[in-house]
């Protein structure tokens, strides 16, 4: 008899696998992720989490291998700890995140088409203008909270406009992001808190995805146009727009907050950038590598299979800790150093394989625009208080980052 545990199949400890009592979804781990990453990698290619009766991996090699093989390690059973084959998910599954090829291939193409190089080029100009305006305003204030005054403000202003939402408030977008990402973890206090604000947020988000509520010039309208022949099918376009709103806000808010954290802690790196602006793109990649805003996603084994000598049964949930793979000393030199000149290619912050971040060109355009404005207009970014991290089951992001921007 198969037993269900924490929303998935309770697997047996595979042979030659270390068992571990740690809770990767606890606040303690979040507050000291680097210690968790190191211990995870040292225990072997996979560890068995006693508390969740599932596996976790954090070495670069295995994390990449699991992510790269969408046939053995499926997304259609959910990328959180819940197995959608065994339990009903909290919302209708995403048509890109929580689906396998061939459906995934078709659906993803509609998003790729909407995010065309031409569209991104136009948006870059818009993002840069908005970033310049915001940084000019913040320089007047001098003392700011890098999160509530900057990281949360920029994406919630430019992204809804890029998508073509007619009206949407910051709180709704951030509230929905918190639900989507915390829902990937166990039903702990963080998931419960996010879900508590739930129903009204869900209603507003679903409404915003409807064709009558989107502007003719945005990405959402493009998705409706490209799916016009078949969009009757299960609200296809609306569901794809929902994916933009699920994946496009919290991720970039966290990435920008984490980038500011990197800058404020490494003034010599910020000065290097000011002297050589051609490094900006790489400085953004390096902040993604080092801080991995999406900490971890799960996969589920569709068959009994083996990786690095570990045999795992069908239905095994694997927590793939991207932040750990991105700081594996077997792959990266001096991995915990923020180094804007580092060769960053191969980092897994935006995933790898068929599910790699479909919005990455848009995300990079946003973050690079903001980084450029900072480097052009700000002399230094100094911490004036303690950086406070915000617990989340799937993201690594800040609650507060008190800084001074000096002109
Ligand atoms: C959390 C997340 C990431 C990527 C995609 C989606 C959600 C989605 O809803 O499609």
């Amino acid at each position: 008899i198969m037993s269900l545990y924490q929303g998935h199949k309770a697997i047996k400890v595979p042979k030659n696998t270390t068992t571990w009592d740690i809770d990767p979804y606890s606040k303690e781990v979040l507050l000291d992720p680097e210690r968790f990453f190191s211990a995870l990698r040292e225990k072997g290619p996979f560890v068995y989490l006693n508390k969740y009766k599932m596996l976790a991996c954090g070495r670069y090699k295995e994390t990449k291998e699991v992510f790269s093989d969408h046939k053995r390690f499926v997304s259609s059973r959910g990328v959180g700890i819940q197995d959608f084959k065994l339990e009903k998910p909290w919302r209708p599954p995403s048509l890109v995140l929580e689906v396998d090829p061939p459906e995934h291939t078709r659906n993803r193409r509609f998003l790729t088409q909407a995010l065309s190089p031409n569209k991104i080029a136009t948006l870059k100009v818009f993002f840069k203008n908005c970033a310049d305006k915001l940084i000019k305003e913040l320089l007047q204030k001098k003392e700011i909270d890098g999160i509530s005054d900057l990281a949360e403000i920029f994406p919630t202003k430019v992204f809804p406009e890029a998508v073509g939402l007619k009206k949407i408030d910051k709180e709704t977008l951030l509230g929905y992001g918190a639900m989507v990402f915390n829902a990937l973890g166990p039903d702990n206090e963080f998931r419960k808190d996010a879900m508590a604000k739930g129903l009204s947020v869900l209603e507003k988000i679903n409404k915003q995805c409807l064709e009558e509520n989107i502007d003719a010039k945005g990405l959402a309208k493009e998705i409706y146009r490209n799916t016009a022949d078949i969009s009757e099918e299960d609200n296809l376009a609306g569901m794809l727009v929902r994916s933009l709103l699920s994946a496009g806000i919290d991720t970039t808010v966290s990435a920008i907050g984490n980038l500011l954290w990197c800058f404020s802690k490494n003034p010599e790196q910020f000065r290097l950038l000011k002297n050589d602006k051609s490094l900006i793109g790489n400085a953004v990649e390096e902040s993604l590598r080092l801080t991995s805003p999406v900490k971890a996603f799960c996969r589920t084994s569709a068959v009994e299979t083996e990786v690095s000598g570990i045999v795992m049964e069908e239905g095994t949930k694997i927590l793939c800790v991207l932040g750990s793979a991105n700081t594996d000393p077997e792959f990266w030199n001096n991995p915990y150093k923020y180094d804007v000149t580092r060769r960053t290619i191969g980092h897994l912050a935006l995933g790898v394989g068929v599910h790699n971040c479909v919005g990455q060109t848009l995300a990079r355009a946003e973050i690079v625009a903001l980084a450029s404005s900072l480097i052009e207009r700000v002399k230094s970014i100094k911490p004036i208080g303690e950086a406070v991290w915000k617990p989340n089951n799937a993201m690594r992001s800040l609650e507060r980052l008190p800084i001074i921007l000096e002109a």
Side-chain angles (χ1 to χ4, degrees), residues 91 94 96-97 180-181 184 242-243 246-247 297:
R91 59 170 196 167
S94 161
V96 280
L97 179 74
V180 168
F181 281 93
L184 299 175
R242 193 195 72 173
S243 281
S246 305
F297 272 156

Side-chain angles (χ1 to χ4, degrees), residues 16 89 143 146 153 178 273 305 317 334 342 350 353 359 373 381-382:
N16 303 319
E143 288 189 12
I153 299 297
L273 288 175
T305 187
K317 275 284 178 189
N334 199 2
R342 179 195 298 276
L350 300 164
S373 294
I381 301 174
K382 286 196 186 125

Side-chain angles (χ1 to χ4, degrees), residues 2-10 52 75-94 98 183-188 191 195 300 314-315 317:
M2 206 261 312
S3 67
L4 193 68
Y5 189 75
Q6 302 266 3
H8 57 258
K9 181 178 170 187
Y52 297 103
S75 290
S76 55
R77 291 165 74 165
V79 300
I81 84 168
Q82 201 188 7
D83 186 343
F84 291 3
K85 202 168 156 181
L86 306 176
E87 259 190 13
K88 190 170 178 274
W90 69 285
R91 59 170 196 167
S94 161
E98 294 153 338
L184 299 175
D187 201 21
N188 58 14
R191 191 182 197 274
M195 290 299 176
T300 314
E314 182 278 333
K317 275 284 178 189

